[in-house]
C-alpha cells in the first residue's frame, strides 16, 4: 500500500500533441486535487473560480502558466496561487509533456 494518490492517478496518462488528459487525484467534501497532463502544444483554457482558490503545482516539464493576463514559463517544481476570481490557465510550448495538479478549495 502507498499513501501516494498521485502516482496511480497519472500512471496511464499519455496525451497526444495538442491534447490534455486529466485525472482526479483527491476528492473530498472540502477540496479537489486534479492532475492535468499536457501534451506538446496543449492548453488548459483560461478560466476562473469565483468562490474558490486554485493552486497549481507544476510537477513535470515547463508549462507556461497564465494568470490575469500575465504569462510565465515555470520549470518543475513550482507552485502558483490563483486567488478567487483570478483568470488562470496553462499551456505547454515544449516538445515534452508537462504535468501539473490544481487544488481547488473550498468546494461548495
Amino acid at each position: 500500500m502507498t499513501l501516494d494518490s498521485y502516482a496511480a492517478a497519472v500512471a496511464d496518462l499519455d496525451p497526444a500533441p495538442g491534447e490534455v488528459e486529466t485525472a482526479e487525484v483527491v476528492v473530498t467534501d472540502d477540496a479537489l486535487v486534479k492532475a492535468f497532463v499536457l501534451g506538446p502544444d496543449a492548453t488548459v483554457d483560461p478560466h476562473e473560480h469565483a468562490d474558490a482558490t486554485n493552486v497549481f503545482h507544476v510537477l513535470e516539464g515547463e508549462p507556461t502558466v497564465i494568470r490575469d493576463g500575465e504569462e510565465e514559463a515555470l520549470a518543475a517544481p513550482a507552485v502558483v496561487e490563483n486567488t478567487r476570481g483570478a483568470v488562470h490557465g496553462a499551456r505547454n510550448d515544449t516538445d515534452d509533456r508537462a504535468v501539473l495538479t490544481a487544488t481547488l478549495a473550498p468546494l461548495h
Side-chain angles (χ1 to χ4, degrees), residues 43-100:
T43 300
V44 175
D45 291 328
H47 59 283
E48 64 181 296
H49 305 279
D51 297 326
T53 297
N54 185 292
V55 180
F56 286 159
H57 300 260
V58 178
L59 301 174
E60 185 180 323
E62 192 173 330
T64 297
V65 174
I66 302 153
R67 184 180 63 205
D68 287 335
E70 294 184 42
E71 299 183 2
E72 185 175 353
L74 296 173
V79 175
V80 177
E81 177 187 8
N82 301 299
T83 58
R84 295 174 186 203
V87 177
H88 58 280
R91 73 172 182 272
N92 183 6
D93 297 326
T94 74
D95 293 331
D96 299 312
R97 80 178 199 162
V99 180
L100 58 90

Side-chain angles (χ1 to χ4, degrees), residues 6-15 21-23 37 97:
Y6 171 77
V10 302
D12 296 328
L13 301 183
D14 187 24
E21 293 186 5
T22 65
V37 182
R97 80 178 199 162

